[in-house]
Amino acid sequence: MIPSSFAYAAPATLRDALSLLAEHPDDTKVMAGGQSLIPLLKLRLASPAVVVDISRLKALGEIEETPSAFRIGALVTHDRLLGDEAITEQWSLVRDAGEELADPLVRNRGTFGGSLAHADPAGDWPAVALAADAVIHVQSQRGAREIPANDFFTYLFTADIADDELLTHVELAKPLPGTVTAYVKIDHPASGYAVAAAGVSLTIDASGTCRAARVAFTGVATTPLRSAAAEQTLEGSTIDAETIQRAVDHAADGINVIGDGYAPVDYRRHLIGVVTGRAIRRALDRRNCTPDNHERPHT
Amino acid sequence: MTHDTIRTGRPAAAQRSAISYTLNGEPVSCEVDARTLLVHHLREERNLTGTHIGCDTSQCGACAVHLDGRAVKSCTVLAVQVDGREVTTIEAVRGQGPDDLHPVQEALQSKHGLQCGFCTPGMVMTALELLDTDQALTPEQVQHGLVGNICRCTGYQNIVDALVELSASESGGTR
Ligand SMILES: Cc1cc2nc3c(=O)[nH]c(=O)nc-3n(C[C@H](O)[C@H](O)[C@H](O)COP(=O)(O)OP(=O)(O)OC[C@H]3O[C@@H](n4cnc5c(N)ncnc54)[C@H](O)[C@@H]3O)c2cc1C
Ligand code: FES
Ligand code: FES
């Protein structure tokens, strides 16, 4: 279908973009890769008066590496992120998630920042951001803010970002030594979106004890979110088969799981356990590939 | 919507923007409505009807074109966004074969990788990017590369076979 009419601007600088957003805070939509927004415009589920296309803001399109972190510009495309070897080697779950996200054509245009700002309750990057403790940076004429991923997703398609703010970049700290990560998605066969997916990050010390665990889900609730129960089960333990089973059994505790015609609540609860177990095992398998590798616990 | 607004066309608020870009190697300068999708611009304003529309939900890939050398869904790009860029459509895909067919088109033809042909222009545009590698692709890699292109006729197998064989021959059979 044809979108309804809107006024269009494609500012060349961040300054111009922020001033446009400050001038027209209501009924204005930011457009990055357009791979979520244009489908909404076509179905007229969105009909903004003004579209501010930020895709020409070069400053937002870079990946920078510092000794301690990766700084990923909001406009970095899914494909570009997937092709960044430094990031995908250190954060394996980025490769896992990116390879299963949409299709090559969508990955050529859709952006990392757009995916987080869109806060799709079944989006893949939000769960990755949660599992990796990413920090989201936003800016407006009023100033800049940084928001831990865990506080960013507030409701269905709603994130902690105001109408006059732009997501500028995301800071991904380099993983602590001994960290292994994985992402496992069970996708809807038609849409490709997650019915349930888990991103897992485990930091395991020399004695084999898990010092920090992050277990994040998408596709299962009104927002992507972390499982406190699974994380607490894993932290402080040597992750053996019994611990994994306990994490699987309790992964959905405290989560208000959503149901739909494809996956009713009980089935989705079950899938939460399935993806939790698979993601933990996949991450542990990767310990074998790390240099200071200790005997792998049975799983 | 009343018949009146349909007949009178564009609402007063519609914004026309001047764009200049390269289309299949030729410079184009024109005005477009901000809301016009690239696929509609190509089909209706440039009369290039090889790029197809197979869905309303950005899922089928029948509309695939190359934007600055990368395959994209032209139903999910605004025409105004291609200002200053390079667009390549199926009309510019040519080769030395009979009927000027490109090797990808020849492979699909000889392996029976199309029936009604509606999906084929999009398949070809996606395949061109997928095959842009020195490596011979596995069937799994080809399937994974085509997840954004839907075909309602062939069952995909012949398309996958055609592209696997072509990539093997182009890479000299090495993997
Ligand atoms: C066929 C298809 C399949 C898909 N499958 C998947 C999938 O399996 N998994 C998945 O996670 N996603 C999937 N997507 C969505 C895709 O990943 C989108 O690219 C992504 O959700 C949005 O990124 P974008 O850059 O395209 O954002 P846009 O569509 O441009 O914008 C989306 C929203 O975010 C806002 N926004 C964008 N960038 C910023 C910014 N920098 N600052 C503030 N606000 C901003 C916009 O205002 C808009 O509300 C799919 C899309 C399609 C068309
Ligand atoms: S018409 Fe573009 S994806 Fe279907
Ligand atoms: S050949 Fe008919 S849709 Fe693919």
Side-chain angles (χ1 to χ4, degrees), chain B:
Chain B
M1 197 189 272
T2 67
H3 287 294
D4 241 349
T5 47
I6 291 171
R7 221 178 308 114
T8 52
R10 255 180 307 126
Q15 181 196 336
R16 304 280 285 173
S17 304
I19 59 169
S20 297
Y21 69 104
T22 305
L23 175 58
N24 295 336
E26 302 286 326
V28 171
S29 293
C30 59
E31 278 199 348
V32 291
D33 269 354
R35 63 171 171 166
T36 298
L37 304 173
L38 178 58
V39 70
H40 289 137
H41 167 71
L42 292 171
R43 288 177 55 83
E44 290 159 27
E45 296 169 359
R46 305 262 71 84
N47 291 325
L48 294 175
T49 53
T51 303
H52 291 168
I53 301 174
C55 74
D56 247 341
T57 49
S58 303
Q59 282 171 313
C60 76
C63 62
V65 301
H66 287 193
L67 180 55
D68 288 344
R70 307 302 298 270
V72 302
K73 293 175 176 176
S74 64
C75 72
T76 314
V77 175
L78 301 176
V80 61
Q81 292 186 289
V82 308
D83 185 35
R85 305 196 189 275
E86 214 169 289
V87 177
T88 308
T89 69
I90 188 70
E91 283 83 358
V93 176
R94 294 240 164 86
Q96 315 296 318
D99 304 324
D100 296 337
L101 289 183
H102 185 278
V104 171
Q105 294 167 314
E106 283 187 333
L108 289 171
Q109 187 185 49
S110 69
K111 284 272 163 190
H112 211 76
L114 65 152
Q115 290 177 29
C116 78
F118 194 83
C119 69
T120 311
M123 288 286 177
V124 171
M125 299 313 284
T126 300
L128 286 173
E129 183 174 337
L130 182 64
L131 292 169
D132 187 16
T133 157
D134 300 333
Q135 302 211 315
L137 299 173
T138 63
E140 292 71 31
Q141 285 171 320
V142 172
Q143 280 168 2
H144 196 67
L146 293 180
V147 291
N149 292 77
I150 294 175
C151 173
R152 296 188 56 159
C153 305
T154 63
Y156 301 99
Q157 193 57 53
N158 290 349
I159 299 175
V160 173
D161 290 349
L163 300 182
V164 167
E165 197 175 296
L166 179 62
S167 94
S169 69
E170 285 188 340
S171 68
T174 55
R175 178 162 292 157

Side-chain angles (χ1 to χ4, degrees), chain A residues 1-8 31 34-35 38-39 42 44 53 56 79 99-100 103-106 108-109 191, chain B residues 15 34-35 37 56 58 64 67 70-71 73 75-78 80-81 83 85 126 129 144-145 147-149:
Chain A
M1 222 159 82
I2 296 168
S4 55
S5 290
F6 50 79
Y8 172 87
M31 189 162 85
Q35 301 301 290
I38 295 177
K42 288 198 292 183
R44 301 208 179 184
D53 179 355
R56 289 177 195 260
D79 183 71
E99 284 178 344
E100 298 301 319
D103 59 58
L105 297 88
V106 170
N108 278 342
R109 281 201 67 78
S191 74
Chain B
Q15 181 196 336
R35 63 171 171 166
L37 304 173
D56 247 341
S58 303
L67 180 55
R70 307 302 298 270
K73 293 175 176 176
C75 72
T76 314
V77 175
L78 301 176
V80 61
Q81 292 186 289
D83 185 35
R85 305 196 189 275
T126 300
E129 183 174 337
H144 196 67
V147 291
N149 292 77

Side-chain angles (χ1 to χ4, degrees), chain A residues 256-274:
Chain A
N256 200 352
V257 177
I258 47 163
D260 56 30
Y262 183 74
V265 174
D266 285 351
Y267 178 50
R268 229 188 209 99
R269 273 187 171 275
H270 169 73
L271 291 182
I272 289 175
V274 171

Side-chain angles (χ1 to χ4, degrees), chain A residues 21 28-40 52 54 60 74-76 78 97 100-103 106-107 109-120 122-126 138 157 161-162 165-169 183 185 187 191-194 218, chain B residues 57-60 73 76 148:
Chain A
L21 292 181
T28 294
K29 269 288 179 194
V30 171
M31 189 162 85
Q35 301 301 290
S36 288
L37 182 58
I38 295 177
L40 291 173
V52 176
I54 59 169
L60 271 50
L75 291 177
V76 168
H78 307 322
E100 298 301 319
L101 192 156
D103 59 58
V106 170
R107 290 200 292 270
R109 281 201 67 78
T111 68
F112 187 61
S115 177
L116 298 176
H118 193 51
D120 190 313
D124 292 306
W125 293 136
V138 304
F157 298 102
I161 180 166
E165 283 177 324
L166 276 184
L167 196 163
T168 52
H169 63 280
Y183 185 83
K185 167 173 168 178
D187 57 358
S191 74
Y193 277 92
T218 193
Chain B
T57 49
S58 303
Q59 282 171 313
C60 76
K73 293 175 176 176
T76 314

